[in-house]
Amino acid sequence: MTARIGVVTFPGSLDDRDTQRAIRVAGAEPVALWHKDKDLKQVDAVVLCGGFSYGDYLRAGAIARFSPVMDTVIEQAKAGLPVLGICNGFQILTEAHLLPGGMLGNDHLHFICRDQKLRVENAGTAWTSDYTAGQEIHIPLKNMDGRYVADRRTLDELEAEDRVAFRYLDVNPNGSLNDIAGITNAAGNVVGLMPHPEHAVESLIGTGRTDGLPFFTSILKKLVNA
């Protein structure tokens, strides 16, 4: 049976088709989900893709968090449904309190678009098991509001509980505290990151590498072996 992974489209989403393609390249079936529909169509996992949902008005992800689909995503994520938030999706996950902390504008006040070097800190989540802890990868990064922030207690908890999933290397592109590029919840089924793995699954596009593909093969293997 083919694993079915839903990709939610909000008004202003930019990377839904790219994410669907990445899922297909990994060998799973992408399922398009619309933000106004609470029905997740019995998918096995969900990806909140990148873009600028609702134009990032009020605050990035703040309006999308109240879309009808998110009621179901929040409920099922708390029950164990694997959920990946990429860039704007990460912002939505923090607004929905599925992940702690929040996202602010880049410290240099400019949009950034670059190939970014990362270190995999946690290879034990539903979305990172095809990596190894300490592995260095290159993933495209593009954002305006990518600065991860949290209070000191939250940061200490994330570090102590090995919940920093990815960390920026060589350069911190947006001023994120502790060089954090991505985090996970305690259960390991919800992961958010600012870089875009869906743009690094084929050697002819993006970075020219396939460093992002393990996100999608990781979840596929977890679902198949569940």
Side-chain angles (χ1 to χ4, degrees):
M1 183 176 178
T2 303
R4 303 172 75 248
I5 302 177
V7 179
V8 180
T9 298
F10 299 92
S13 294
L14 300 178
D15 300 297
D16 44 352
R17 296 295 182 88
D18 302 75
T19 304
Q20 290 173 25
R21 179 172 178 80
I23 290 167
R24 194 175 294 112
V25 169
E29 176 188 351
V31 178
L33 301 175
W34 184 236
H35 73 112
K36 285 189 175 182
D37 190 355
K38 286 190 174 185
D39 183 8
L40 297 186
K41 301 180 181 179
Q42 296 182 314
V43 296
D44 303 299
V46 167
V47 180
L48 306 179
C49 66
F52 301 90
S53 59
Y54 294 92
D56 280 351
Y57 290 113
L58 297 183
R59 191 172 55 247
I63 300 177
R65 174 261 177 274
F66 292 102
S67 290
V69 72
M70 287 304 299
D71 290 339
T72 312
V73 169
I74 292 169
E75 177 184 4
Q76 294 198 19
K78 291 179 178 179
L81 180 74
V83 178
L84 175 65
I86 302 171
C87 195
N88 189 226
F90 185 14
Q91 295 161 342
I92 295 170
L93 289 176
T94 62
E95 292 290 338
H97 304 297
L98 286 174
L99 292 174
M103 312 301 299
L104 296 178
N106 298 340
D107 60 353
H108 45 72
L109 303 181
H110 294 286
F111 181 85
I112 188 168
C113 183
R114 56 171 289 148
D115 292 341
Q116 179 65 47
K117 189 176 182 181
L118 307 174
R119 182 171 61 239
V120 179
E121 301 285 22
N122 185 332
T125 79
W127 299 92
T128 61
S129 61
D130 263 2
Y131 293 108
T132 57
Q135 183 177 350
E136 297 181 3
I137 60 177
H138 291 78
I139 302 288
L141 177 74
K142 51 176 186 174
N143 64 71
M144 181 68 189
D145 300 292
R147 178 161 51 114
Y148 180 77
V149 297
D151 59 47
R152 177 49 55 187
R153 179 178 179 180
T154 298
L155 289 172
D156 289 345
E157 287 179 353
L158 289 173
E159 298 288 358
E161 297 172 7
D162 194 26
R163 290 172 54 195
V164 176
F166 298 91
R167 213 180 299 271
Y168 297 117
L169 289 184
D170 293 347
V171 62
N172 184 327
N174 44 37
S176 291
L177 297 179
N178 290 23
D179 299 325
I180 290 173
I183 61 175
T184 178
N185 67 343
N189 64 303
V190 179
V191 171
L193 78 161
M194 286 310 296
H196 287 258
E198 77 279 13
H199 295 322
V201 299
E202 297 175 290
S203 59
L204 292 179
I205 60 174
T207 61
R209 301 167 179 253
T210 58
D211 290 2
L213 187 58
F215 275 89
F216 306 100
T217 56
S218 293
I219 189 60
L220 178 58
K221 289 179 180 178
K222 176 178 177 56
L223 295 173
V224 169
N225 295 327

